[in-house]
Amino acid sequence: MAASQASLLLLKQLKDLNRHPVDGFSAGLVDEGNVFEWGVTIMGPPDTYYDGGFFSAIMSFPKNYPQNPPSVRFTSEIWHPNVYPDGKVCISILHPPGEDPNGYELASERWVPIHTVESIVLSIISMLSSPNDESPANVDAAIEWRERREVFMKKVQRCVRKSQEML
């Protein structure tokens, strides 16, 4: 039952995005037969180190969406404090609902069922614009962001160039 409600909601969100595209990203199903896995391309936000990049990601939804968040993993190489080396995105709204067992986040910062694909991707775009180096997923990137901005910028520019070559 939950899976069919989730698939109906995801199909509605896909239809809404196709009808009213949002600047900064595009999204669609990876495989027409599976509404629980989306391919997303995020354009690097203007006036950021990621400007000009086209970063691909896979958004995988649980069968009980929207009660629980999807996971998002970049398939393009990306250097960022809030992205694990394997590409998995680490932002508060993608963390399970409720209290944070580690006490870093307020329940209100974590997943709530009113989020949509659009609000998730806009949060990722915001993350690209302003990294949170307080609780990094990629410690090396966070240290460079804080202490060696020039080195950080060069690595990001390499990722941007690579993403453009993949088009």
Side-chain angles (χ1 to χ4, degrees):
M1 181 65 168
S4 63
Q5 287 177 322
S7 59
L8 288 173
L9 179 60
L10 287 166
L11 286 170
K12 180 190 179 317
Q13 289 183 18
L14 181 62
K15 196 184 292 181
D16 290 347
L17 281 172
N18 286 333
R19 213 176 296 133
H20 307 285
V22 178
D23 284 347
F25 76 94
S26 62
L29 301 180
V30 171
D31 163 7
E32 291 302 316
N34 180 5
V35 73
F36 292 97
E37 191 162 86
W38 291 36
V40 179
T41 300
I42 297 174
M43 288 113 217
D47 305 319
T48 70
Y49 295 140
Y50 300 90
D51 193 356
F54 294 89
F55 301 99
S56 298
I58 300 289
M59 194 176 279
S60 301
F61 295 88
K63 299 289 187 231
N64 67 346
Y65 176 81
Q67 302 316 314
N68 278 295
S71 63
V72 180
R73 189 177 57 78
F74 279 102
T75 53
S76 301
E77 187 180 326
I78 192 157
W79 186 248
H80 192 283
N82 307 116
V83 179
Y84 287 99
D86 71 355
K88 190 169 177 359
V89 175
C90 180
I91 53 176
S92 299
I93 70 161
L94 293 177
H95 295 157
E99 293 300 317
D100 178 3
N102 301 314
Y104 291 122
E105 301 164 327
L106 299 172
S108 61
E109 297 171 312
R110 295 166 67 88
W111 179 258
V112 286
I114 58 167
H115 283 297
T116 61
V117 171
E118 180 179 338
S119 67
I120 295 163
V121 178
L122 290 174
S123 292
I124 294 170
I125 292 169
S126 172
M127 170 201 83
L128 291 175
S129 300
S130 38
N132 172 4
D133 60 1
E134 294 300 308
S135 60
N138 183 330
V139 174
D140 295 335
I143 291 170
E144 286 180 1
W145 168 258
R146 252 185 257 139
E147 300 170 11
R148 296 193 305 277
R149 193 62 64 94
E150 197 67 30
V151 173
F152 178 87
M153 190 176 70
K154 281 194 171 95
K155 285 185 181 172
V156 170
Q157 286 172 338
R158 198 189 81 234
C159 292
V160 167
R161 278 194 308 278
K162 263 181 126 167
S163 78
Q164 293 166 338
E165 290 164 7
M166 301 305 273
L167 290 178

